[in-house]
Amino acid sequence: MYHCNASGRLPWKDPHDPVVCELGRGYDGECADHLVEMEPDTHLWALWENDRFTYAVLRPCCMSDPTVDPVKREPCTLFVEHPPGHSWEFRDMLHG
Ligand SMILES: [Zn+2]
Ligand SMILES: [Zn+2]
């Protein structure tokens, strides 16, 4: 699994600080970049498709890999019901 890695420039942010899609490559829909954790259960994401940008407050996915030793499991950092590919399934680093 590889990151979508599409970048976007939020109209209200520094153009030198693009958002980068953290979702898995090959899905159909909006791109998403995690912006900030407001509370453990409340994360702010930027979503975009072409030139249309929105904010979304989403709950974290938190699924972990059942095949990994429970002490080493890392919860998924994406949001609930994200397109296929949990954060721990990616083999590449994010790059914008
Ligand atoms: Zn994307
Ligand atoms: Zn996940």
Side-chain angles (χ1 to χ4, degrees):
M1 182 67 68
Y2 294 94
H3 287 104
C4 165
N5 269 324
S7 63
R9 294 181 195 286
L10 297 178
W12 57 83
K13 279 194 61 160
D14 183 349
H16 299 293
D17 187 19
V19 286
V20 179
C21 182
E22 298 183 33
L23 301 177
R25 198 173 291 174
Y27 67 95
D28 208 19
E30 291 176 307
C31 284
D33 189 5
H34 181 260
L35 296 180
V36 67
E37 177 178 326
M38 300 159 83
E39 286 182 45
D41 236 18
T42 311
H43 293 203
L44 186 63
W45 288 76
L47 303 178
W48 71 96
E49 195 165 16
N50 304 319
D51 283 336
R52 195 171 51 80
F53 294 86
T54 49
Y55 270 138
V57 175
L58 301 165
R59 281 187 300 122
C61 167
C62 287
M63 278 261 294
S64 55
D65 187 347
T67 65
V68 169
D69 180 340
V71 254
K72 292 183 184 155
R73 284 183 194 173
E74 288 185 28
C76 176
T77 58
L78 300 175
F79 50 85
V80 284
E81 291 171 4
H82 60 75
H86 294 293
S87 60
W88 36 263
E89 290 183 277
F90 295 111
R91 306 213 240 137
D92 62 332
M93 300 300 285
L94 268 180
H95 49 82

